[in-house]
Amino acid sequence: MSPLLTSPGSAGRVRVAKIVGRESKDAFMSKHLERDLENLQRDILALAASVEEAIHKAIRSLQDRDVELAKEVIHGDDKIDEEENAIEEECLKMLALHQPVASDLRRVAACLMINTDLERMADLAEDIAERAIDLSKPPLLPIPEKLQRMTDLTTSMVRQSLDAFVNLDTRQARTVCRLDDEVDRHNKDIIDELIRVMQENPPMVAPALSLFSATRHLERIADHATNIAEEVIYLAEGEIVRHRPAAFHEKS
């Protein structure tokens, strides 16, 4: 048995009491950190649900030329901004109060990054909605067929990146990262098509530029989904894979 625990007299009892008190405090703080981390994940997922809804509505307003739906997306962005601010404040409080280390620190850091990516996705959804309002006015520009495939891929990437976060699924996260190249190819094809339209039909220049912008915003949403997937890999493996395309094929 440790000499400390067998020390006779009041001095030994005081030392034992201090150790027990410190252990009790550490257990208390650990329990509260675990609770705060659970609440943080819940808040992140609630924000993600709001952002996903904004993206779906924005794209639908573009495809259906639905001005009222587009306005709904624009007006809803303030609430998403408030949610993002609240999550950031909570992360900073946790860092200051709990001073987490190792995997707990990675989780808070990842949540901070994911929080920012989600808010920027919402901003891009608002931008798409604004372009949808422009495209609802004559002359009406036909929506390229490839936009639907690009939309399906992008929304799938958003959903899969969030599923990977919930399940700490690095295989799924790496799949999301690889899908980004396909979205980029669709984006390039649509832009090439819009350039041809503008060259052949000058009156369509203004609407084509609006659709060009909307397509670019959609591609940026896919980029942010990729960022989230990269944060999942960092969270689960402690490895920073950003700007390292080869890492998307490792451990898969």
Side-chain angles (χ1 to χ4, degrees):
M1 183 177 291
S2 168
L4 176 63
L5 297 180
T6 58
S7 297
S10 60
R13 288 194 295 273
V14 168
R15 284 195 292 270
V16 170
K18 285 183 177 179
I19 291 173
V20 172
R22 189 183 307 119
E23 289 176 348
S24 299
K25 180 180 179 182
D26 290 345
F28 176 81
M29 293 298 289
S30 177
K31 181 178 179 181
H32 277 259
L33 174 59
E34 182 179 349
R35 180 203 62 193
D36 289 347
L37 285 170
E38 290 174 356
N39 290 339
L40 179 60
Q41 176 155 319
R42 180 202 63 204
D43 292 342
I44 283 281
L45 293 178
L47 174 61
S50 299
V51 172
E52 278 193 273
E53 183 180 12
I55 294 169
H56 283 293
K57 286 181 177 179
I59 294 170
R60 197 164 76 245
S61 71
L62 177 68
Q63 294 170 329
D64 298 343
R65 306 183 195 277
D66 188 331
V67 173
E68 292 307 313
L69 188 59
K71 289 180 179 178
E72 186 177 326
V73 174
I74 294 168
H75 295 153
D77 190 61
D78 286 344
K79 183 175 182 298
I80 290 175
D81 288 343
E82 291 173 3
E83 292 179 30
E84 188 254 349
N85 285 339
I87 290 173
E88 182 174 342
E89 289 176 3
E90 186 60 30
C91 287
L92 295 176
K93 286 179 184 176
M94 289 174 64
L95 290 172
L97 177 63
H98 299 294
Q99 298 181 0
V101 296
S103 61
D104 291 336
L105 177 59
R106 291 204 305 271
R107 176 165 288 276
V108 177
C111 285
L112 269 170
M113 299 289 289
I114 291 170
N115 186 46
T116 299
D117 281 309
L118 287 170
E119 190 275 333
R120 289 177 180 170
M121 282 185 188
D123 286 344
L124 291 163
E126 181 183 16
D127 291 336
I128 291 173
E130 290 173 350
R131 300 289 77 76
I133 293 174
D134 293 338
L135 288 163
S136 69
K137 304 168 186 175
L140 298 181
L141 176 70
I143 304 296
E145 291 182 8
K146 284 194 174 182
L147 182 62
Q148 184 59 57
R149 176 57 180 157
M150 183 179 172
T151 296
D152 292 343
L153 273 172
T154 300
T155 53
S156 174
M157 287 176 66
V158 172
R159 166 47 54 193
Q160 289 190 66
S161 68
L162 295 169
D163 287 345
F165 170 64
V166 172
N167 301 315
L168 285 184
D169 188 338
T170 57
R171 181 182 295 270
Q172 189 172 31
R174 285 184 164 89
T175 297
V176 171
C177 294
R178 293 193 293 270
L179 283 174
D180 190 52
D181 288 340
E182 192 172 347
V183 171
D184 290 343
R185 285 194 294 271
H186 283 292
N187 182 51
K188 182 181 182 304
D189 290 344
I190 292 170
I191 288 173
D192 289 344
E193 182 176 341
L194 290 174
I195 289 173
R196 286 194 297 272
V197 168
M198 288 187 283
Q199 290 172 337
E200 296 169 2
N201 193 347
M204 286 294 184
V205 168
L209 286 174
S210 287
L211 186 55
F212 183 109
S213 180
T215 304
R216 175 59 178 154
H217 295 324
L218 187 59
E219 188 269 337
R220 288 293 298 142
I221 288 174
D223 287 343
H224 286 295
T226 301
N227 290 348
I228 291 175
E230 290 170 345
E231 289 302 324
V232 171
I233 296 171
Y234 166 71
L235 177 57
E237 300 177 359
E239 179 185 12
I240 297 175
V241 298
R242 187 163 294 157
H243 310 307
R244 291 182 52 219
F248 302 154
H249 299 276
E250 297 169 1
K251 304 178 184 180
S252 59

